[in-house]
Every structure is written in structure tokens, then in C-alpha cells.
């Protein structure tokens, strides 16, 4: 039996380890467009904040571990099309740009999610970054070294954790969301009121009830976030 696995972070790693144990006769091939597996995004804020110092602590598996279990690991390979009737996938090697097809008897789709990137003017400026994978984490850490004013857009738990990390790091932080309170999807006002007061007491500027309309920059790098209510200086912007 030939099994093709598309994507290998948490769902993919769990599926692959189980399948390799339960079906040792199966020929399992993993196609992952990134160069790592099992990255713990939940550790990004701790890594950025310096609590996790060794990046190896952000992974619990590796391509070589899975390879040793008999799995064929195709890292930096993107699946571009799936023909479920013909049981075929189209793949691009992201290093060589070579395209090829593979067949499967069983297909495991563990392609997860990607952050929403709003179509706003200035979104392509330098220092407007995402926060999802290991590359992003390293990117944020590198850029935060130079940054003085950081805007975090999106007041869910990912944003809240980063704001905390940057505040501890001594940065001037603006926390922006279109909703009227932080973490509004997770907690009631009794709790978010306390958290907002705590953030403000620590010098975090809350810019709630306002939507980002554009980013303004100079010489290709972001300088300002413009919202429906105002403008905020920022030399690093994280889209959460
Ligand atoms: C900053 C942050 C903090 C988080 N904190 C927590 C937390 O504290 N607790 C918690 O429970 N959850 C947390 N999460 C959520 C958790 O990380 C996700 O739920 C989890 O990553 C989902 O795993 P997944 O394997 O389903 O998908 P993903 O992690 O999205 O992985 C999908 C994989 O598929 C690959 N892929 C996608 N399309 C293709 C393709 N066409 N070809 C090849 N490869 C492809 C991608 O490169 C990726 O490696 C956090 C997420 C973020 C971003």
C-alpha cells in the first residue's frame, strides 16, 4: 500500500508515526513544503521572549527521525494538485522547481492553515510579518532586535502572547483589533477587562474598536499603521 501524506507539522507527524508503526509494510511518502516537521508554534512567544533559548526545544520530531522509521521524506516539496479519482498528486520540488507526479492508494491531507493576509495598501512593506512557523519566529526575533515600536495586529491569543513577550523585552507596543476588547472570542469581559488594565499598566497601548486601513512606509520599510481611528508609529508589525 502506498500512502502519500501532504503536510507534516502536528497532524501529519502524528499520522505518520502511527501509520509507520501500525502498517510497517506500507510505503509512506511525506510531502512537506517547509524544511522542518513538528514545529510548536505555541512556543513562538516564549522563544521571542527569550524563555525558550534553544530552538531545538520547539520541535519534538525531525525529518531524520521519520526517515529512520522507514518513511520517505520529501522536504521542500509542495503538492500543487490532487486527483482523487486517478489517485495521483502533482508535486513541485521547491529547491529545483522540478515538477513530477506520484500515485497513492491512500492520501492523508494534513495541510493545516495559513494566516489571513488582508489585502491592504502597504502590506508588502519590509517589517510587516506573519507569525505561524519556525521561519517567522526567527524573522521576528531578528527584526525585533532593531525595532523600538512594535504593532501587533489581531488581539487573539497569538497576539496577546506576543504583546506580553515584547513588553517584557522593553519595546513600545501597540495592540490593535477591530473588536472592542482583546481576546473577545475566548473570554468574557470580566476577564478581558482585567487583562486590558494589566496591559495598560505595563505601558501597552490598546487600539481597539478600529480596523487597520493601510501601512505607510519609507524606503520600503513600514513606519506607520493607519486605522479607522488613528495612526500608530511602528517599525515592526506582526499580523496575528
Ligand atoms: C503563534 C501560534 C501559537 C499557537 N499556540 C497554540 C497553543 O498554545 N495551543 C494549541 O493547542 N494550539 C496553538 N496553536 C495552533 C496550533 O499550532 C495549530 O492548531 C497546529 O499547528 C495545527 O497543526 P496541523 O498539523 O493541523 O497544521 P499546520 O501546523 O498548519 O501544518 C500544516 C503543514 O502542511 C504543510 N502544507 C500545507 N499545504 C501544503 C502543500 N500543498 N504541500 C506540502 N505541504 C503543505 C505546511 O507547510 C505545514 O507544515 C498556535 C498557533 C500559532 C500560529
Amino acid at each position: 500500500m502506498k500512502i502519500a501524506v501532504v503536510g507534516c507539522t502536528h497532524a501529519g507527524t502524528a499520522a505518520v508515526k502511527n501509520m509507520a508503526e501500525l502498517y510497517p509494510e506500507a510505503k509512506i511518502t511525506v510531502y512537506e513544503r517547509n524544511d522542518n516537521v513538528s514545529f510548536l508554534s505555541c512556543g513562538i512567544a516564549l522563544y521571542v521572549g527569550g524563555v525558550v533559548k534553544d530552538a531545538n526545544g520547539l520541535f519534538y520530531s525531525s525529518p531524520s527521525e521519520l526517515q529512520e522509521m522507514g518513511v520517505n521524506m520529501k522536504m521542500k516539496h509542495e503538492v500543487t494538485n490532487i486527483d482523487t479519482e486517478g489517485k495521483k498528486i502533482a508535486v513541485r520540488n521547491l529547491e529545483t522547481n522540478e515538477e513530477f507526479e506520484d500515485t497513492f492508494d491512500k492520501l492523508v491531507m494534513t495541510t493545516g492553515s495559513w494566516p489571513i493576509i488582508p489585502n491592504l495598501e502597504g502590506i508588502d512593506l519590509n517589517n510587516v510579518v506573519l507569525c505561524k512557523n519556525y521561519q517567522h519566529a526567527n524573522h521576528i526575533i531578528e527584526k525585533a532586535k532593531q525595532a523600538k515600536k512594535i504593532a501587533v495586529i489581531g488581539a487573539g491569543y497569538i497576539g496577546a502572547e506576543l504583546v506580553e513577550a515584547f513588553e517584557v523585552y522593553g519595546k513600545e507596543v501597540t495592540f490593535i483589533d477591530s473588536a472592542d476588547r482583546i481576546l473577545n472570542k475566548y473570554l468574557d469581559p470580566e476577564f478581558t477587562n482585567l487583562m486590558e488594565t494589566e496591559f495598560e499598566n505595563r505601558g501597552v497601548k490598546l487600539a481597539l474598536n478600529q480596523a487597520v486601513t493601510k501601512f505607510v512606509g519609507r524606503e520600503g520599510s513600514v513606519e506607520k499603521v493607519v486605522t479607522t481611528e488613528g495612526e500608530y508609529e511602528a517599525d515592526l508589525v506582526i499580523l496575528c
Side-chain angles (χ1 to χ4, degrees), residues 6-12 31-34 41-42 44 77-79 110-113 131-132 157-158 161:
V6 190
C8 196
T9 297
H10 302 305
Y31 292 99
E32 167 55 59
R33 64 179 167 208
N34 216 325
S41 309
C42 54
I44 293 181
H77 281 68
E78 180 170 42
V79 171
T110 37
T111 47
S113 63
C131 176
K132 161 85 185 176
Y157 65 83
I158 293 172
E161 286 177 352

Side-chain angles (χ1 to χ4, degrees), residues 30 49 112 154 175 186 200:
V30 166
F175 199 11
Y186 306 101
E200 282 177 327

Side-chain angles (χ1 to χ4, degrees), residues 5-6 31 33 77-82 89-92:
V5 180
V6 190
Y31 292 99
R33 64 179 167 208
H77 281 68
E78 180 170 42
V79 171
T80 54
N81 195 37
I82 298 175
I89 52 175
V91 183
R92 180 180 301 126

